Amino acid sequence: ALSLLGGAASAQDKLDCGKAYKGFWDKIEREKYAKISPEQLAGVSRMALRAYDACQAGDEQDARALFERLDRMKF
C-alpha cells in the first residue's frame, strides 16, 4: 500500500496530490482497466477524485487513507 505513496512523498513526508492521483491511474494495467464495468470505473474515479480533493484541501490523513484503499483494490 505504501508503494503508491512512497514516490509521492517529499523529504518532509508531504503528500504530492497530483503525483499520487496520477500514480494511481498509471498503476492500473490496460487489460484490467478494459475489464472494469462502467459503474465500477465511475466509482473508482470518484474515490480517486475524493482522495485528490482531500489532499488539495490539506486533509492528508484522509487522502492517504483513500489512496491506500484504492491501492488495495483488485480489478
Side-chain angles (χ1 to χ4, degrees), residues 17-32:
C17 305
K19 191 172 185 179
Y21 177 78
K22 185 166 182 338
F24 165 72
W25 289 111
D26 287 344
K27 284 181 51 180
I28 297 178
E29 297 172 20
R30 271 193 124 76
E31 294 165 357
K32 291 180 181 179

mmCIF file with all atom_site columns, all heavy atoms in Angstrom, residues 17-32:
data_model
loop_
_atom_site.group_PDB
_atom_site.id
_atom_site.type_symbol
_atom_site.label_atom_id
_atom_site.label_alt_id
_atom_site.label_comp_id
_atom_site.label_asym_id
_atom_site.label_entity_id
_atom_site.label_seq_id
_atom_site.pdbx_PDB_ins_code
_atom_site.Cartn_x
_atom_site.Cartn_y
_atom_site.Cartn_z
_atom_site.occupancy
_atom_site.B_iso_or_equiv
_atom_site.pdbx_formal_charge
_atom_site.auth_seq_id
_atom_site.auth_comp_id
_atom_site.auth_asym_id
_atom_site.auth_atom_id
_atom_site.pdbx_PDB_model_num
ATOM 1   N N   . CYS A 1 17 ? -0.147 15.701 -4.124  1.00 0.00 ? 17 CYS A N   1
ATOM 2   C CA  . CYS A 1 17 ? -1.504 15.327 -4.523  1.00 0.00 ? 17 CYS A CA  1
ATOM 3   C C   . CYS A 1 17 ? -1.585 14.874 -5.973  1.00 0.00 ? 17 CYS A C   1
ATOM 4   O O   . CYS A 1 17 ? -2.139 13.811 -6.272  1.00 0.00 ? 17 CYS A O   1
ATOM 5   C CB  . CYS A 1 17 ? -2.455 16.502 -4.302  1.00 0.00 ? 17 CYS A CB  1
ATOM 6   S SG  . CYS A 1 17 ? -2.450 17.168 -2.628  1.00 0.00 ? 17 CYS A SG  1
ATOM 7   N N   . GLY A 1 18 ? -1.062 15.659 -6.867  1.00 0.00 ? 18 GLY A N   1
ATOM 8   C CA  . GLY A 1 18 ? -1.125 15.330 -8.285  1.00 0.00 ? 18 GLY A CA  1
ATOM 9   C C   . GLY A 1 18 ? -0.367 14.064 -8.627  1.00 0.00 ? 18 GLY A C   1
ATOM 10  O O   . GLY A 1 18 ? -0.837 13.228 -9.409  1.00 0.00 ? 18 GLY A O   1
ATOM 11  N N   . LYS A 1 19 ? 0.795  13.906 -8.039  1.00 0.00 ? 19 LYS A N   1
ATOM 12  C CA  . LYS A 1 19 ? 1.608  12.727 -8.308  1.00 0.00 ? 19 LYS A CA  1
ATOM 13  C C   . LYS A 1 19 ? 0.928  11.465 -7.776  1.00 0.00 ? 19 LYS A C   1
ATOM 14  O O   . LYS A 1 19 ? 0.941  10.414 -8.428  1.00 0.00 ? 19 LYS A O   1
ATOM 15  C CB  . LYS A 1 19 ? 2.993  12.897 -7.686  1.00 0.00 ? 19 LYS A CB  1
ATOM 16  C CG  . LYS A 1 19 ? 3.986  11.866 -8.118  1.00 0.00 ? 19 LYS A CG  1
ATOM 17  C CD  . LYS A 1 19 ? 5.376  12.226 -7.618  1.00 0.00 ? 19 LYS A CD  1
ATOM 18  C CE  . LYS A 1 19 ? 6.405  11.260 -8.147  1.00 0.00 ? 19 LYS A CE  1
ATOM 19  N NZ  . LYS A 1 19 ? 7.752  11.613 -7.703  1.00 0.00 ? 19 LYS A NZ  1
ATOM 20  N N   . ALA A 1 20 ? 0.309  11.556 -6.601  1.00 0.00 ? 20 ALA A N   1
ATOM 21  C CA  . ALA A 1 20 ? -0.393 10.408 -6.026  1.00 0.00 ? 20 ALA A CA  1
ATOM 22  C C   . ALA A 1 20 ? -1.602 10.041 -6.880  1.00 0.00 ? 20 ALA A C   1
ATOM 23  O O   . ALA A 1 20 ? -1.858 8.867  -7.145  1.00 0.00 ? 20 ALA A O   1
ATOM 24  C CB  . ALA A 1 20 ? -0.815 10.706 -4.592  1.00 0.00 ? 20 ALA A CB  1
ATOM 25  N N   . TYR A 1 21 ? -2.347 11.043 -7.349  1.00 0.00 ? 21 TYR A N   1
ATOM 26  C CA  . TYR A 1 21 ? -3.529 10.801 -8.173  1.00 0.00 ? 21 TYR A CA  1
ATOM 27  C C   . TYR A 1 21 ? -3.137 10.159 -9.498  1.00 0.00 ? 21 TYR A C   1
ATOM 28  O O   . TYR A 1 21 ? -3.677 9.140  -9.905  1.00 0.00 ? 21 TYR A O   1
ATOM 29  C CB  . TYR A 1 21 ? -4.273 12.119 -8.407  1.00 0.00 ? 21 TYR A CB  1
ATOM 30  C CG  . TYR A 1 21 ? -5.481 11.989 -9.304  1.00 0.00 ? 21 TYR A CG  1
ATOM 31  C CD1 . TYR A 1 21 ? -6.672 11.481 -8.812  1.00 0.00 ? 21 TYR A CD1 1
ATOM 32  C CD2 . TYR A 1 21 ? -5.438 12.375 -10.633 1.00 0.00 ? 21 TYR A CD2 1
ATOM 33  C CE1 . TYR A 1 21 ? -7.793 11.350 -9.622  1.00 0.00 ? 21 TYR A CE1 1
ATOM 34  C CE2 . TYR A 1 21 ? -6.542 12.250 -11.453 1.00 0.00 ? 21 TYR A CE2 1
ATOM 35  C CZ  . TYR A 1 21 ? -7.713 11.744 -10.943 1.00 0.00 ? 21 TYR A CZ  1
ATOM 36  O OH  . TYR A 1 21 ? -8.815 11.613 -11.759 1.00 0.00 ? 21 TYR A OH  1
ATOM 37  N N   . LYS A 1 22 ? -2.171 10.748 -10.171 1.00 0.00 ? 22 LYS A N   1
ATOM 38  C CA  . LYS A 1 22 ? -1.733 10.208 -11.459 1.00 0.00 ? 22 LYS A CA  1
ATOM 39  C C   . LYS A 1 22 ? -1.090 8.837  -11.274 1.00 0.00 ? 22 LYS A C   1
ATOM 40  O O   . LYS A 1 22 ? -1.289 7.938  -12.084 1.00 0.00 ? 22 LYS A O   1
ATOM 41  C CB  . LYS A 1 22 ? -0.755 11.155 -12.141 1.00 0.00 ? 22 LYS A CB  1
ATOM 42  C CG  . LYS A 1 22 ? -0.365 10.682 -13.537 1.00 0.00 ? 22 LYS A CG  1
ATOM 43  C CD  . LYS A 1 22 ? 0.319  11.755 -14.315 1.00 0.00 ? 22 LYS A CD  1
ATOM 44  C CE  . LYS A 1 22 ? 0.699  11.385 -15.707 1.00 0.00 ? 22 LYS A CE  1
ATOM 45  N NZ  . LYS A 1 22 ? 0.840  10.028 -16.073 1.00 0.00 ? 22 LYS A NZ  1
ATOM 46  N N   . GLY A 1 23 ? -0.358 8.670  -10.198 1.00 0.00 ? 23 GLY A N   1
ATOM 47  C CA  . GLY A 1 23 ? 0.280  7.391  -9.920  1.00 0.00 ? 23 GLY A CA  1
ATOM 48  C C   . GLY A 1 23 ? -0.725 6.268  -9.766  1.00 0.00 ? 23 GLY A C   1
ATOM 49  O O   . GLY A 1 23 ? -0.478 5.139  -10.204 1.00 0.00 ? 23 GLY A O   1
ATOM 50  N N   . PHE A 1 24 ? -1.882 6.570  -9.161  1.00 0.00 ? 24 PHE A N   1
ATOM 51  C CA  . PHE A 1 24 ? -2.925 5.563  -9.045  1.00 0.00 ? 24 PHE A CA  1
ATOM 52  C C   . PHE A 1 24 ? -3.362 5.097  -10.427 1.00 0.00 ? 24 PHE A C   1
ATOM 53  O O   . PHE A 1 24 ? -3.431 3.899  -10.703 1.00 0.00 ? 24 PHE A O   1
ATOM 54  C CB  . PHE A 1 24 ? -4.134 6.098  -8.264  1.00 0.00 ? 24 PHE A CB  1
ATOM 55  C CG  . PHE A 1 24 ? -5.342 5.233  -8.447  1.00 0.00 ? 24 PHE A CG  1
ATOM 56  C CD1 . PHE A 1 24 ? -5.400 3.984  -7.845  1.00 0.00 ? 24 PHE A CD1 1
ATOM 57  C CD2 . PHE A 1 24 ? -6.392 5.634  -9.241  1.00 0.00 ? 24 PHE A CD2 1
ATOM 58  C CE1 . PHE A 1 24 ? -6.502 3.159  -8.036  1.00 0.00 ? 24 PHE A CE1 1
ATOM 59  C CE2 . PHE A 1 24 ? -7.499 4.821  -9.435  1.00 0.00 ? 24 PHE A CE2 1
ATOM 60  C CZ  . PHE A 1 24 ? -7.550 3.580  -8.823  1.00 0.00 ? 24 PHE A CZ  1
ATOM 61  N N   . TRP A 1 25 ? -3.647 6.026  -11.322 1.00 0.00 ? 25 TRP A N   1
ATOM 62  C CA  . TRP A 1 25 ? -4.123 5.656  -12.664 1.00 0.00 ? 25 TRP A CA  1
ATOM 63  C C   . TRP A 1 25 ? -3.024 4.984  -13.480 1.00 0.00 ? 25 TRP A C   1
ATOM 64  O O   . TRP A 1 25 ? -3.307 4.092  -14.281 1.00 0.00 ? 25 TRP A O   1
ATOM 65  C CB  . TRP A 1 25 ? -4.678 6.874  -13.398 1.00 0.00 ? 25 TRP A CB  1
ATOM 66  C CG  . TRP A 1 25 ? -5.981 7.314  -12.818 1.00 0.00 ? 25 TRP A CG  1
ATOM 67  C CD1 . TRP A 1 25 ? -6.226 8.452  -12.125 1.00 0.00 ? 25 TRP A CD1 1
ATOM 68  C CD2 . TRP A 1 25 ? -7.228 6.589  -12.839 1.00 0.00 ? 25 TRP A CD2 1
ATOM 69  N NE1 . TRP A 1 25 ? -7.538 8.486  -11.722 1.00 0.00 ? 25 TRP A NE1 1
ATOM 70  C CE2 . TRP A 1 25 ? -8.177 7.363  -12.151 1.00 0.00 ? 25 TRP A CE2 1
ATOM 71  C CE3 . TRP A 1 25 ? -7.618 5.370  -13.379 1.00 0.00 ? 25 TRP A CE3 1
ATOM 72  C CZ2 . TRP A 1 25 ? -9.501 6.955  -11.990 1.00 0.00 ? 25 TRP A CZ2 1
ATOM 73  C CZ3 . TRP A 1 25 ? -8.940 4.958  -13.217 1.00 0.00 ? 25 TRP A CZ3 1
ATOM 74  C CH2 . TRP A 1 25 ? -9.866 5.744  -12.530 1.00 0.00 ? 25 TRP A CH2 1
ATOM 75  N N   . ASP A 1 26 ? -1.779 5.380  -13.273 1.00 0.00 ? 26 ASP A N   1
ATOM 76  C CA  . ASP A 1 26 ? -0.670 4.749  -14.004 1.00 0.00 ? 26 ASP A CA  1
ATOM 77  C C   . ASP A 1 26 ? -0.487 3.286  -13.617 1.00 0.00 ? 26 ASP A C   1
ATOM 78  O O   . ASP A 1 26 ? -0.009 2.488  -14.423 1.00 0.00 ? 26 ASP A O   1
ATOM 79  C CB  . ASP A 1 26 ? 0.643  5.499  -13.747 1.00 0.00 ? 26 ASP A CB  1
ATOM 80  C CG  . ASP A 1 26 ? 0.700  6.846  -14.453 1.00 0.00 ? 26 ASP A CG  1
ATOM 81  O OD1 . ASP A 1 26 ? -0.114 7.085  -15.367 1.00 0.00 ? 26 ASP A OD1 1
ATOM 82  O OD2 . ASP A 1 26 ? 1.563  7.659  -14.078 1.00 0.00 ? 26 ASP A OD2 1
ATOM 83  N N   . LYS A 1 27 ? -0.867 2.935  -12.386 1.00 0.00 ? 27 LYS A N   1
ATOM 84  C CA  . LYS A 1 27 ? -0.672 1.569  -11.916 1.00 0.00 ? 27 LYS A CA  1
ATOM 85  C C   . LYS A 1 27 ? -1.668 0.573  -12.499 1.00 0.00 ? 27 LYS A C   1
ATOM 86  O O   . LYS A 1 27 ? -1.417 -0.617 -12.504 1.00 0.00 ? 27 LYS A O   1
ATOM 87  C CB  . LYS A 1 27 ? -0.772 1.525  -10.392 1.00 0.00 ? 27 LYS A CB  1
ATOM 88  C CG  . LYS A 1 27 ? 0.460  2.053  -9.705  1.00 0.00 ? 27 LYS A CG  1
ATOM 89  C CD  . LYS A 1 27 ? 0.334  1.977  -8.216  1.00 0.00 ? 27 LYS A CD  1
ATOM 90  C CE  . LYS A 1 27 ? -0.087 0.613  -7.777  1.00 0.00 ? 27 LYS A CE  1
ATOM 91  N NZ  . LYS A 1 27 ? -0.236 0.450  -6.353  1.00 0.00 ? 27 LYS A NZ  1
ATOM 92  N N   . ILE A 1 28 ? -2.821 1.052  -12.937 1.00 0.00 ? 28 ILE A N   1
ATOM 93  C CA  . ILE A 1 28 ? -3.834 0.134  -13.470 1.00 0.00 ? 28 ILE A CA  1
ATOM 94  C C   . ILE A 1 28 ? -3.406 -0.306 -14.869 1.00 0.00 ? 28 ILE A C   1
ATOM 95  O O   . ILE A 1 28 ? -3.214 0.518  -15.757 1.00 0.00 ? 28 ILE A O   1
ATOM 96  C CB  . ILE A 1 28 ? -5.216 0.801  -13.516 1.00 0.00 ? 28 ILE A CB  1
ATOM 97  C CG1 . ILE A 1 28 ? -5.684 1.155  -12.107 1.00 0.00 ? 28 ILE A CG1 1
ATOM 98  C CG2 . ILE A 1 28 ? -6.229 -0.123 -14.182 1.00 0.00 ? 28 ILE A CG2 1
ATOM 99  C CD1 . ILE A 1 28 ? -7.018 1.864  -12.066 1.00 0.00 ? 28 ILE A CD1 1
ATOM 100 N N   . GLU A 1 29 ? -3.283 -1.600 -15.034 1.00 0.00 ? 29 GLU A N   1
ATOM 101 C CA  . GLU A 1 29 ? -2.881 -2.145 -16.331 1.00 0.00 ? 29 GLU A CA  1
ATOM 102 C C   . GLU A 1 29 ? -4.013 -1.981 -17.335 1.00 0.00 ? 29 GLU A C   1
ATOM 103 O O   . GLU A 1 29 ? -5.180 -2.097 -16.992 1.00 0.00 ? 29 GLU A O   1
ATOM 104 C CB  . GLU A 1 29 ? -2.527 -3.623 -16.186 1.00 0.00 ? 29 GLU A CB  1
ATOM 105 C CG  . GLU A 1 29 ? -1.346 -3.863 -15.274 1.00 0.00 ? 29 GLU A CG  1
ATOM 106 C CD  . GLU A 1 29 ? -1.138 -5.346 -14.996 1.00 0.00 ? 29 GLU A CD  1
ATOM 107 O OE1 . GLU A 1 29 ? -1.637 -6.182 -15.766 1.00 0.00 ? 29 GLU A OE1 1
ATOM 108 O OE2 . GLU A 1 29 ? -0.479 -5.649 -13.991 1.00 0.00 ? 29 GLU A OE2 1
ATOM 109 N N   . ARG A 1 30 ? -3.656 -1.736 -18.572 1.00 0.00 ? 30 ARG A N   1
ATOM 110 C CA  . ARG A 1 30 ? -4.654 -1.522 -19.628 1.00 0.00 ? 30 ARG A CA  1
ATOM 111 C C   . ARG A 1 30 ? -5.653 -2.668 -19.730 1.00 0.00 ? 30 ARG A C   1
ATOM 112 O O   . ARG A 1 30 ? -6.847 -2.439 -19.901 1.00 0.00 ? 30 ARG A O   1
ATOM 113 C CB  . ARG A 1 30 ? -3.959 -1.357 -20.975 1.00 0.00 ? 30 ARG A CB  1
ATOM 114 C CG  . ARG A 1 30 ? -3.599 0.051  -21.295 1.00 0.00 ? 30 ARG A CG  1
ATOM 115 C CD  . ARG A 1 30 ? -3.208 0.116  -22.781 1.00 0.00 ? 30 ARG A CD  1
ATOM 116 N NE  . ARG A 1 30 ? -3.984 1.065  -23.527 1.00 0.00 ? 30 ARG A NE  1
ATOM 117 C CZ  . ARG A 1 30 ? -3.825 2.355  -23.493 1.00 0.00 ? 30 ARG A CZ  1
ATOM 118 N NH1 . ARG A 1 30 ? -2.935 2.879  -22.695 1.00 0.00 ? 30 ARG A NH1 1
ATOM 119 N NH2 . ARG A 1 30 ? -4.546 3.145  -24.247 1.00 0.00 ? 30 ARG A NH2 1
ATOM 120 N N   . GLU A 1 31 ? -5.174 -3.889 -19.623 1.00 0.00 ? 31 GLU A N   1
ATOM 121 C CA  . GLU A 1 31 ? -6.057 -5.038 -19.760 1.00 0.00 ? 31 GLU A CA  1
ATOM 122 C C   . GLU A 1 31 ? -7.082 -5.082 -18.615 1.00 0.00 ? 31 GLU A C   1
ATOM 123 O O   . GLU A 1 31 ? -8.247 -5.384 -18.824 1.00 0.00 ? 31 GLU A O   1
ATOM 124 C CB  . GLU A 1 31 ? -5.248 -6.333 -19.789 1.00 0.00 ? 31 GLU A CB  1
ATOM 125 C CG  . GLU A 1 31 ? -4.368 -6.435 -21.019 1.00 0.00 ? 31 GLU A CG  1
ATOM 126 C CD  . GLU A 1 31 ? -3.306 -7.504 -20.886 1.00 0.00 ? 31 GLU A CD  1
ATOM 127 O OE1 . GLU A 1 31 ? -3.200 -8.145 -19.820 1.00 0.00 ? 31 GLU A OE1 1
ATOM 128 O OE2 . GLU A 1 31 ? -2.560 -7.693 -21.860 1.00 0.00 ? 31 GLU A OE2 1
ATOM 129 N N   . LYS A 1 32 ? -6.632 -4.792 -17.420 1.00 0.00 ? 32 LYS A N   1
ATOM 130 C CA  . LYS A 1 32 ? -7.544 -4.781 -16.274 1.00 0.00 ? 32 LYS A CA  1
ATOM 131 C C   . LYS A 1 32 ? -8.518 -3.612 -16.390 1.00 0.00 ? 32 LYS A C   1
ATOM 132 O O   . LYS A 1 32 ? -9.693 -3.741 -16.070 1.00 0.00 ? 32 LYS A O   1
ATOM 133 C CB  . LYS A 1 32 ? -6.764 -4.696 -14.967 1.00 0.00 ? 32 LYS A CB  1
ATOM 134 C CG  . LYS A 1 32 ? -5.989 -5.954 -14.655 1.00 0.00 ? 32 LYS A CG  1
ATOM 135 C CD  . LYS A 1 32 ? -5.242 -5.824 -13.356 1.00 0.00 ? 32 LYS A CD  1
ATOM 136 C CE  . LYS A 1 32 ? -4.447 -7.085 -13.076 1.00 0.00 ? 32 LYS A CE  1
ATOM 137 N NZ  . LYS A 1 32 ? -3.699 -6.986 -11.837 1.00 0.00 ? 32 LYS A NZ  1
#
